[in-house]
C-alpha cells in the first residue's frame, strides 16, 4: 500500500517557494503521491477554510511536475461541474503526458453553493453534471491515440450513495474524504468497488483518542499506524494523508505538518 500527502495549495503562508518545499519534502520522505484541492472562485464561505492565495491545481501540478521526478501528482478533488469536460480531458491528458504518466484525477461534485452561483452553474444539477462530465472524459480519452503515458486513474470522491454508484460506473477507485474506519468499512462491505483510495486526516496526539467515531488518521502514532494497517487489509491501494485541519494560519507553519508526516513515514516504513 502506498502513502500520499494532500498539500495545501492555498492560504496566507503558501507561495511558490513553499509549494516547492512541500513537493521536495513529500518526495524526499518517500511518499508516492502528492495531491491538492480545487476552487475556482474563493467566495466568502470558501475563504473561511481555504483563503487566498489559492493556486489552481492543474497549473500548480504541472509546475511541480518539473521539480519532482517520481511522486505521482493529483487532485483531491477537482470539482467537475466547474469546467467544460473536453477542456478537462485535454488539460489532464497534457499534464499526464508532460509528467510521464504521473497524474491521478480525483473528482467530486462540489459543496459551495456560492461558488456555483458565481460560476453560473446550477448547484442542484451538480450530481447530474458530474456524471455527464465523467462520461465525456472517458469518451474523449478512449478516442485518443496511445501516446505511451498510460491511462489516467479516476478517483471518485464523496461518501454518499450517489458517490459510490458513480465510482462503480465511472471510477477506478472510491476516494472517501476524512471518514471514520467504521463508516468506510460499512460501505466496502456492501459494495464491490473497482478500487479503494481514501484520504484521511493526519493529526498526531500524545494520548489515545477514545471515541468510536474517531476519524481515521487521528490519535497517537500507534493508533494511526493501526488505522493504516486496517485500511491496507480493507484493500486500499493508496492512502492519502491530510495534515490540514481548517486553520489557514497553519499554512504559515508547514514544519509542524512535515514533522508529523516524517514521523508516520518512518514508523510505517519500519512496520512494513
Amino acid at each position: 500500500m502506498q502513502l500520499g500527502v494532500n498539500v495545501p495549495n492555498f492560504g496566507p503562508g503558501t507561495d511558490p517557494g513553499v509549494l516547492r518545499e512541500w513537493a521536495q519534502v513529500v518526495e524526499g520522505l518517500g511518499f508516492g503521491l502528492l495531491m491538492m484541492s480545487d476552487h475556482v472562485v474563493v467566495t466568502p464561505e470558501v475563504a473561511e477554510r481555504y483563503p487566498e492565495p489559492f493556486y489552481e491545481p492543474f497549473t500548480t501540478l504541472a509546475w511541480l511536475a518539473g521539480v519532482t521526478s517520481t511522486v505521482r501528482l493529483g487532485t483531491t478533488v477537482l470539482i467537475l461541474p466547474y469546467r467544460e469536460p473536453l477542456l478537462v480531458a485535454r488539460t489532464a491528458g497534457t499534464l499526464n503526458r508532460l509528467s510521464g504518466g504521473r497524474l491521478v484525477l480525483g473528482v467530486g461534485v462540489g459543496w459551495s453553493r456560492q461558488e456555483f452561483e458565481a460560476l453560473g452553474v446550477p448547484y442542484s444539477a451538480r450530481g447530474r453534471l458530474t456524471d455527464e462530465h465523467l462520461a465525456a472524459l472517458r469518451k474523449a480519452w478512449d478516442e485518443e491515440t496511445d501516446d505511451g503515458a498510460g491511462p489516467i486513474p479516476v478517483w471518485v470522491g464523496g461518501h454518499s450513495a450517489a458517490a459510490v454508484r458513480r465510482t462503480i460506473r465511472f471510477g477506478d477507485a472510491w476516494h472517501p474524504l476524512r471518514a471514520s474506519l467504521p463508516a468506510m468499512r460499512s460501505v466496502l462491505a456492501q459494495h464491490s468497488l473497482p478500487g479503494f483510495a481514501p484520504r484521511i486526516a493526519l493529526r498526531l496526539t500524545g494520548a489515545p483518542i477514545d471515541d468510536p467515531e474517531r476519524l481515521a488518521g487521528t490519535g497517537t502514532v500507534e493508533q494511526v499506524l493501526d488505522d493504516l494497517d486496517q485500511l491496507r487489509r480493507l484493500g486500499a491501494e493508496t492512502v492519502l494523508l491530510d495534515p490540514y485541519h481548517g486553520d489557514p494560519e497553519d499554512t504559515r507553519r508547514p514544519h509542524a505538518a512535515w514533522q508529523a508526516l516524517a514521523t508516520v513515514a518512518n514508523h510505517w516504513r519500519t512496520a512494513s
Side-chain angles (χ1 to χ4, degrees):
M1 185 179 77
Q2 192 175 67
L3 299 184
V5 180
N6 183 30
V7 169
N9 52 321
F10 52 82
T14 301
D15 59 31
V18 170
L19 286 167
R20 181 191 291 265
E21 285 188 87
W22 265 105
Q24 291 170 340
V25 167
V26 169
E27 191 168 67
L29 288 173
F31 288 100
L33 175 63
L34 180 160
M35 302 187 91
M36 54 186 53
S37 57
D38 176 41
H39 283 287
V40 175
V41 184
V42 182
T43 60
E45 66 182 357
V46 171
E48 289 181 10
R49 191 175 177 89
Y50 311 108
E52 296 277 17
F54 201 108
Y55 290 80
E56 194 279 325
F58 279 137
T59 310
T60 307
L61 291 171
W63 179 64
L64 292 179
V67 299
T68 56
S69 57
T70 59
V71 69
R72 292 188 296 164
L73 306 160
T75 54
T76 178
V77 290
L78 191 82
I79 309 305
L80 275 189
Y82 288 170
R83 299 170 179 83
E84 203 283 328
L86 294 182
L87 175 61
V88 173
R90 177 65 63 190
T91 305
T94 299
L95 176 51
N96 193 49
R97 288 188 289 274
L98 291 174
S99 65
R102 288 189 279 152
L103 182 64
V104 177
L105 190 68
V107 301
V109 301
W111 58 269
S112 172
R113 187 181 294 271
Q114 290 179 354
E115 193 171 10
F116 274 88
E117 291 173 352
L119 291 166
V121 180
Y123 180 80
S124 60
R126 66 194 189 283
R128 173 180 59 80
L129 290 171
T130 299
D131 288 347
E132 292 174 357
H133 288 200
L134 279 167
L137 284 178
R138 289 298 192 190
K139 184 174 185 294
W141 289 336
D142 287 344
E143 293 174 350
E144 289 184 355
T145 57
D146 184 8
D147 57 9
I152 300 170
V154 175
W155 294 359
V156 178
H159 309 92
S160 67
V164 173
R165 291 194 299 269
R166 192 169 290 122
T167 300
I168 295 170
R169 185 178 179 190
F170 298 109
D172 297 296
W174 179 46
H175 185 51
L177 311 179
R178 301 175 69 92
S180 67
L181 270 168
M184 291 185 281
R185 185 179 289 111
S186 175
V187 171
L188 292 166
Q190 296 175 54
H191 301 277
S192 178
L193 298 171
F196 177 43
R199 184 178 105 197
I200 66 173
L202 176 61
R203 185 193 292 273
L204 297 181
T205 61
I209 298 177
D210 297 319
D211 182 348
E213 297 303 315
R214 175 182 65 89
L215 292 180
T218 62
T220 62
V221 173
E222 290 76 19
Q223 284 182 299
V224 173
L225 291 174
D226 183 64
D227 290 341
L228 292 174
D229 185 58
Q230 291 193 55
L231 290 169
R232 179 181 60 81
R233 293 173 185 272
L234 287 171
E237 301 97 341
T238 303
V239 174
L240 192 72
L241 303 175
D242 185 355
Y244 179 68
H245 302 293
D247 183 357
E249 286 301 309
D250 285 345
T251 62
R252 301 185 191 273
R253 301 179 289 270
H255 290 85
W258 296 345
Q259 181 58 56
L261 289 166
T263 298
V264 171
N266 292 333
H267 280 81
W268 178 248
R269 193 177 298 115
T270 300
S272 301

